[in-house]
Amino acid sequence: MEKLVVIDGNSIINRAFYGLPDLTITDGRHTNAVLGFLNILIKLISEEQPDYLAVAFDVKHPTFRHEMFPEYKGTRKGMPEELREQVPLLKQMLAAMKILTIECPGFEADDILGALSAKGKKDGKQVTLVSGDRDLLQLSSEEVLVRIPKTKRTGTEIEDYTPQKVFETFGVLPHQIVDLKGLMGDASDNIPGVPGVGEKTAAKILAKFPSVEEAIAHAQEVEPKKARESLIEHADLALLSKTLATIKTDWEPDFSYEAAKLGNVFTDEAYMLCKELEFKTLLSKYFSPDQGKKEIGNGFAGEPSRITSGEELSRLLEQLMKESHVGFSFTGREMVLAGAEGGYLVSEKLLAEKGRGAAAELRVRGSAEESSDSCLGAGAILHQLCSVGVSISAFDLKRFAGLTVRGDQKQYLDTALAAYLLNPLKNSYTYEDIARDYLGMVVPSPADFAGEAEPKQLSLFEEETEEKEKEKNGAEKVAYYEAMTAVLSAPVLLELLSADGERELYQTIELPLVFTLFEMEQTGMEVNQACLTEQSRLLSEGIEELTKKIYHMAGEEFNINSPKQLGVILFEKLKLPYGKKTKTGYSTSADILEKLRSEDPIVEAILEYRQLAKLKSTYADGLSVFIRPDGRIHSKFNQMITATGRLSSTDPNLQNIPVRMELGRQIRKAFVPKKGCCFVDADYSQIELRILAHLSGDETLIAAYRKEADIHRLTASQVLHIPYEEVTPAQRSSAKAVNFGIIYGISSFGLGQDLNISRKEAEDYINRYFESYPKIKKYLDGLVEQAKNLGYVTTMFGRRRPVPEISSSNFMQRSFGERIAMNSPVQGTAADIMKIAMNRVEERLYRENLGARVVLQVHDELLVETPLPKVEQVKKILREEMAAAAQLSVPLEVSVSVGNDWYETK
């Protein structure tokens, strides 16, 4: 049998919208509902393999049901604007996929599904109806399967409803669903039903009297009494409700099998639209590598020319040295460490004249000065270009920062970094994104070259073989488009940065930091493997002791790592409150356990057990896999991850080693300086509070910092109206929580939880805080207004943080946006200041040739591996450069310490 699948478009896009987190693309359009719908659609096509497919939509037009009952669906809230804007976008995507859409004024999408299911049955087709609306269950039959998807963050689940499944779930047969609705009503559609009759009572009535009409005819026999009386009094409502709930199947919408015939939905048009909407996962999963390669844009298609001799390379360099700007990329992704060879040099002039780039042999030897008779080293080529004033654009500059000459670094441009500053909310910054967003070009992505292996070694001067050509193919193409996009987009990006007021931030802070971070990554930190092993042993002992303790408290042994078993112990055996049962058992998440902390000592032990287990697996054991042959861990420092500008550390994350627990701090003992060196650690003191004082201009806070007063003690004194000298440690601790909480836009609810006080008490504390520091309140309110008016807030150095959440129709999202608006300028300014300090410290250490190197940055802390004879000089440099990184109305205080391992510095 041929198969017809009909989808309720409005219902499924609505499910998708609420099932996925909010997503926006570069131009601000919301896309989560479209993406969720497409995921469901593709899953359905894969599972159903339909011959015919149609998607039905409602029309904003009264239906026959509104004529019968004007209040029909009258209680429904309007569609959120974030969803409304996605409906035409979905229809555009369906048209691009050559999928039939149907709309009929006066009828709902349900009725279209009903009519087509009847037509399909009549024509001998197998029919599948897809909707999130359970009204469709009335259409379930041997020939018609009703499928109801559930969109979740973890994927899409689809429930199948056969007549048997309908009966098992609701206690009625499919055709009785309308009778069920007639009796119980439907609040979502404002179908009244019989007052006082719920789903269970309605099902019981229908078990005895199989329709509304029969129930009314035998109303005197209906039980219970309340339902009987209500049915007798409101029989007219029951009949009306049944009619309203009945899907109309006896009509013919504008439909033909020819129009609904399903072909290849992964069309060129759909590919281009997926590119535009930044649906990278869909592109990589479902579109073949051949799709879109012919759509390069702006005429820059075809293969680049290739340099095959040193003589040709010399002529190319001579030509490029007359230009102001070139683009550059390597064929190897990790070229400096892996020793890959080959690269591309591209200029706008070459592209304009030839419509193609130029491939040049750029050997990687790790030195800018090395060369050979056959060709120059890559670094030497780049240095030659810089020496005559040519600027060099690259995508993700840090990948080959080691090839640059220090004096040339100011002539480099990083297009990925520029794109990050222009829109710091994206998850990634790829060359194909930059081409699309800033050049209006569609270029192939690395996924389009899937299967074309990256080369381990290239040599364009060696004799070409078929195998070598195949090996180079994929990486060469990626590198060519990286270089082409870099040279074309750099002027556009720089102009936009200037317009946004971020050009100076880009050129004086972020670009120099690329080279600073490269040096840190190359240097790495030495690790004492024996120390890690010992920490692992100590943690194992601690975990074993806690396990015995927890078993004793529980009165039995169980798997502490199993949420299901733990939930049974806590909420069934020990009868603790806050038990929240899910499909898989009780929730034992961190927030639930925190609530239970004071209810039973076992909870404290479980929380400690989890901490120790994480310390052991992630750090004591986990760090070992990252130790390289040189005995050091070379963590990666990410410059383009956080929206506020703070750096992050990955592979491994050294910024997140716990320090609140002593056993966590002990992990730091494993990080040691190389022989003949020690660690010098410098830390900003309360930098964010100092920035808040400066940006708000609050005289009280500024004066306190200038007098070097204890800020937390002062806050307690001001807020509680008690003498400074009489503030207790507990009062100071509460004030500290408020001081730092204010920076992060803490709510009265959050502060109440932190201080274990009522929400009202917390609200009073916050109000008194703002009375004590009135300019802080004015400043934070001003930031929220700025975000509402402009859509972004800025740091002291001009870094923009867009705040799209602040205009959301969702209260929680809007509140989150307000917190972001209040926090980002302070946190972002602190990040900017630290970056300035890092650049200055690194430059001065190099200039004074001290043999010291910055090896780690953790939020407000810098760690420098220092030769023992140079300790005092390095301490002096850290104090001077960090304190002078910004001119504030309050001093930047820097504390410096020395240790034989990282632990000792604190």
Side-chain angles (χ1 to χ4, degrees):
M1 292 176 68
E2 289 187 315
K3 183 182 287 187
L4 168 65
V5 173
V6 192
I7 300 173
D8 184 339
N10 288 85
S11 174
I12 298 305
I13 195 173
N14 192 68
R15 282 287 178 104
F17 177 76
Y18 289 105
L20 289 178
D22 187 29
L23 298 174
T24 55
I25 56 176
T26 305
D27 61 12
R29 283 181 290 174
H30 297 267
T31 58
N32 64 321
V34 178
L35 179 60
F37 188 102
L38 291 177
N39 283 330
I40 293 172
L41 175 66
I42 292 168
K43 182 180 177 72
L44 285 166
I45 291 173
S46 174
E47 292 178 354
E48 294 285 335
Q49 297 291 308
D51 299 284
Y52 310 99
L53 177 68
V55 181
F57 286 96
D58 294 331
V59 180
K60 194 173 183 181
H61 188 280
T63 68
F64 66 88
R65 294 181 180 85
H66 290 96
E67 295 172 6
M68 296 171 55
F69 184 57
E71 293 83 6
Y72 177 67
K73 292 191 175 180
T75 56
R76 282 198 176 183
K77 292 182 180 179
M79 185 182 288
E81 189 57 38
E82 296 91 336
L83 173 57
R84 187 187 306 280
E85 71 179 51
Q86 296 186 64
V87 176
L89 200 55
L90 172 63
K91 291 178 181 178
Q92 184 185 353
M93 178 60 79
L94 292 172
M97 299 174 83
K98 310 299 183 190
I99 292 175
L100 176 66
T101 57
I102 307 176
E103 298 175 349
C104 296
F107 294 91
E108 296 180 57
D110 283 1
D111 298 313
I112 298 173
L113 268 69
L116 293 183
S117 70
K119 178 176 176 57
K121 287 168 64 175
K122 177 185 172 185
D123 295 338
K125 312 292 186 192
Q126 187 180 348
V127 181
T128 297
L129 304 178
V130 184
S131 175
D133 189 346
R134 295 182 186 275
D135 285 351
L136 266 292
L137 298 180
Q138 64 189 268
L139 302 175
S140 175
S141 69
E142 294 303 321
E143 301 88 356
V144 179
L145 174 67
V146 178
R147 308 194 73 189
I148 299 184
K150 292 183 178 180
T151 303
K152 300 181 177 181
R153 291 172 189 249
T154 53
T156 299
E157 296 177 2
I158 302 182
E159 294 180 336
D160 293 345
Y161 282 90
T162 59
Q164 181 66 26
K165 176 69 180 293
V166 173
F167 184 76
E168 289 172 357
T169 306
F170 300 98
V172 296
L173 296 171
H175 72 271
Q176 292 179 296
I177 289 289
V178 293
D179 297 287
L180 191 71
K181 291 286 182 81
L183 294 172
M184 64 177 278
D186 187 340
S188 65
D189 288 340
N190 201 31
I191 295 175
V194 176
V197 175
E199 182 177 338
K200 290 183 179 178
T201 301
K204 287 179 181 177
I205 293 172
L206 293 174
K208 188 172 183 181
F209 309 107
S211 69
V212 164
E213 290 80 1
E214 288 194 48
I216 292 171
H218 298 85
Q220 294 295 343
E221 303 170 43
V222 167
E223 295 291 343
K225 180 182 177 183
K226 185 178 178 182
R228 177 169 66 244
E229 293 173 349
S230 188
L231 180 60
I232 291 170
E233 184 180 351
H234 300 289
D236 56 335
L237 279 183
L239 293 169
L240 172 65
S241 298
K242 177 176 178 177
T243 303
L244 292 173
T246 301
I247 291 173
K248 195 167 179 61
T249 61
D250 57 346
W251 66 291
E252 292 191 11
D254 184 13
F255 170 85
S256 72
Y257 288 112
E258 181 63 29
K261 192 165 184 62
L262 187 67
N264 176 24
V265 297
F266 303 118
T267 63
D268 288 351
E269 294 89 341
Y271 175 89
M272 299 295 283
L273 192 52
C274 278
K275 280 267 191 183
E276 179 186 325
L277 299 179
E278 302 172 20
F279 292 158
K280 295 178 185 177
T281 305
L282 291 183
L283 287 169
S284 63
K285 276 188 178 180
Y286 303 112
F287 287 91
S288 71
D290 294 330
Q291 292 279 9
K293 286 187 180 180
K294 52 188 174 290
E295 299 286 350
I296 305 305
N298 291 8
F300 296 124
E303 294 297 319
S305 58
R306 175 164 292 151
I307 304 302
T308 57
S309 71
E311 185 179 341
E312 286 181 318
L313 178 57
S314 297
R315 285 201 298 271
L316 172 67
L317 287 177
E318 187 177 339
Q319 180 181 352
L320 292 177
M321 288 169 76
K322 296 175 184 177
E323 304 202 21
S324 60
H325 180 207
V326 302
F328 170 74
S329 182
F330 268 106
T331 52
R333 308 301 297 172
E334 297 290 339
M335 56 289 173
V336 173
L337 294 177
E341 299 176 354
Y344 284 83
L345 287 169
V346 177
S347 73
E348 265 193 274
K349 188 175 180 182
L350 278 173
L351 290 168
E353 288 179 353
K354 303 179 182 180
R356 54 200 172 118
E361 169 74 352
L362 304 177
R363 294 181 184 272
V364 178
R365 297 190 183 86
S367 167
E369 287 74 30
E370 288 186 24
S371 63
S372 70
D373 293 336
S374 60
C375 68
L376 294 171
I381 291 174
L382 299 175
H383 179 53
Q384 278 196 19
L385 292 170
C386 288
S387 69
V388 293
V390 179
S391 64
I392 298 173
S393 293
F395 171 79
D396 194 4
L397 178 59
K398 182 150 63 84
R399 291 181 296 154
F400 66 92
L403 298 175
T404 62
V405 174
R406 187 172 284 266
D408 296 339
Q409 290 174 356
K410 61 183 179 298
Q411 291 175 236
Y412 284 85
L413 301 170
D414 187 333
T415 54
L417 188 58
Y420 158 71
L421 288 178
L422 289 169
N423 183 6
L425 301 186
K426 293 186 67 175
N427 293 325
S428 63
Y429 303 87
T430 63
Y431 71 83
E432 64 268 27
D433 287 346
I434 292 170
R436 180 196 63 238
D437 298 339
Y438 301 103
L439 298 174
M441 296 170 61
V442 176
V443 301
S445 67
D448 293 322
F449 306 122
E452 300 181 66
E454 289 189 7
K456 296 177 181 176
Q457 188 102 5
L458 286 182
S459 179
L460 298 180
F461 292 113
E462 291 181 17
E463 183 181 350
E464 296 292 343
T465 65
E466 187 176 341
E467 188 60 34
K468 284 182 179 291
E469 190 66 30
K470 184 178 179 182
E471 188 181 51
K472 292 184 301 188
N473 205 21
E476 282 191 352
K477 289 177 180 177
V478 170
Y480 168 57
Y481 286 111
E482 280 186 353
M484 185 186 77
T485 303
V487 75
L488 293 175
S489 65
V492 178
L493 293 165
L494 288 175
E495 187 177 337
L496 289 171
L497 286 169
S498 296
D500 280 1
E502 294 184 286
R503 180 79 171 261
E504 186 176 355
L505 170 73
Y506 172 68
Q507 291 183 322
T508 64
I509 299 177
E510 293 291 356
L511 269 177
L513 189 69
V514 170
F515 302 100
T516 299
L517 296 179
F518 175 81
E519 294 294 340
M520 289 170 60
E521 291 179 3
Q522 293 303 296
T523 304
M525 291 180 74
E526 190 169 319
V527 180
N528 184 336
Q529 178 65 70
C531 184
L532 278 182
T533 303
E534 175 62 13
Q535 294 299 326
S536 179
R537 185 187 67 78
L538 291 173
L539 287 166
S540 293
E541 289 179 357
I543 291 169
E544 190 176 341
E545 289 178 14
L546 278 170
T547 300
K548 292 176 182 176
K549 183 178 179 181
I550 292 167
Y551 288 165
H552 178 73
M553 291 176 170
E556 64 178 272
E557 293 188 9
F558 64 99
N559 184 354
I560 303 170
N561 297 314
S562 165
K564 186 173 184 179
Q565 293 185 34
L566 179 60
V568 170
I569 294 292
L570 295 179
F571 302 113
E572 292 184 7
K573 184 171 184 179
L574 300 180
K575 308 293 185 186
L576 297 185
Y578 311 121
K580 191 165 69 175
K581 202 161 190 178
T582 65
K583 285 184 178 179
T584 55
Y586 293 96
S587 171
T588 57
S589 60
D591 58 328
I592 295 291
L593 293 185
E594 284 296 335
K595 281 185 180 181
L596 294 171
R597 192 187 282 269
S598 60
E599 298 290 336
D600 193 293
I602 194 174
V603 178
E604 185 75 40
I606 290 165
L607 286 168
E608 188 178 350
Y609 172 93
R610 285 186 175 181
Q611 286 182 313
L612 296 191
K614 181 175 176 58
L615 281 173
K616 185 179 187 304
S617 62
T618 305
Y619 300 107
D621 297 338
L623 287 173
S624 297
V625 302
F626 292 101
I627 301 174
R628 292 192 188 166
D630 62 359
R632 300 173 81 88
I633 284 178
H634 297 264
S635 180
K636 182 179 179 182
F637 294 95
N638 305 297
Q639 198 173 356
M640 297 178 280
I641 297 292
T642 69
T644 57
R646 292 180 77 165
L647 296 173
S648 70
S649 164
T650 53
D651 301 324
N653 183 356
L654 298 182
Q655 295 182 331
N656 207 31
I657 295 177
V659 293
R660 292 186 179 179
M661 283 182 67
E662 179 57 26
L663 279 172
R665 291 185 67 237
Q666 292 280 338
I667 298 292
R668 291 187 168 199
K669 285 185 175 181
F671 291 89
V672 295
K674 67 182 180 182
K675 189 175 181 181
C677 292
C678 65
F679 282 144
V680 179
D681 184 280
D683 203 343
Y684 279 119
S685 172
Q686 299 176 355
I687 186 171
E688 291 186 349
L689 274 176
R690 292 171 189 269
I691 290 168
L692 179 62
H694 172 80
L695 294 177
S696 68
D698 189 272
E699 293 87 351
T700 305
L701 203 53
I702 291 171
Y705 272 121
R706 286 177 176 173
K707 293 175 183 175
E708 298 185 359
D710 182 331
I711 296 300
H712 305 314
R713 183 177 290 274
L714 174 70
T715 296
S717 171
Q718 295 274 87
V719 171
L720 301 175
H721 304 296
I722 57 177
Y724 180 88
E725 297 77 12
E726 295 179 15
V727 173
T728 66
Q731 290 167 333
R732 182 187 182 279
S733 179
S734 296
K736 182 177 179 180
V738 178
N739 273 330
F740 288 116
I742 291 298
I743 296 172
Y744 289 87
I746 197 167
S747 64
S748 55
F749 175 77
L751 181 63
Q753 285 197 315
D754 287 350
L755 300 182
N756 200 23
I757 58 177
S758 71
R759 188 170 184 171
K760 180 67 171 65
E761 290 174 302
E763 188 175 349
D764 290 343
Y765 205 127
I766 291 172
N767 290 335
R768 292 200 302 273
Y769 178 93
F770 285 132
E771 288 170 7
S772 303
Y773 301 115
K775 284 198 173 179
I776 292 179
K777 171 68 171 170
K778 184 179 178 182
Y779 169 68
L780 295 177
D781 288 346
L783 291 175
V784 173
E785 283 306 306
Q786 178 188 341
K788 287 178 180 176
N789 295 332
L790 302 178
Y792 63 87
V793 289
T794 58
T795 70
M796 180 177 157
F797 297 91
R799 182 187 303 276
R800 286 192 181 189
R801 201 303 188 182
V803 193
E805 300 89 349
I806 207 158
S807 58
S808 173
S809 60
N810 181 283
F811 173 77
M812 296 299 290
Q813 279 283 94
R814 199 163 58 249
S815 300
F816 177 60
E818 291 176 1
R819 291 195 298 275
I820 287 172
M822 288 186 276
N823 165 246
S824 293
V826 174
Q827 189 181 112
T829 298
D832 292 341
I833 290 173
M834 174 53 83
K835 288 176 177 179
I836 293 169
M838 291 172 69
N839 289 334
R840 290 186 174 186
V841 168
E842 199 278 335
E843 175 60 30
R844 193 161 161 195
L845 292 176
Y846 175 83
R847 190 173 67 245
E848 297 188 17
N849 196 26
L850 299 177
R853 287 289 177 268
V854 178
V855 293
L856 185 63
Q857 183 268 337
V858 181
H859 308 315
D860 306 329
E861 172 190 0
L862 274 185
L863 194 66
V864 180
E865 188 176 67
T866 307
L868 292 172
K870 307 295 183 181
V871 168
E872 292 306 316
Q873 289 168 267
V874 170
K875 286 167 67 176
K876 181 172 181 288
I877 288 172
L878 284 166
R879 286 197 184 95
E880 291 177 355
E881 298 302 338
M882 290 178 71
Q887 299 302 311
L888 305 182
S889 53
V890 298
L892 279 173
E893 185 178 312
V894 181
S895 59
V896 180
S897 57
V898 179
N900 292 314
D901 57 47
W902 188 13
Y903 176 87
E904 278 190 11
T905 63
K906 291 294 179 183

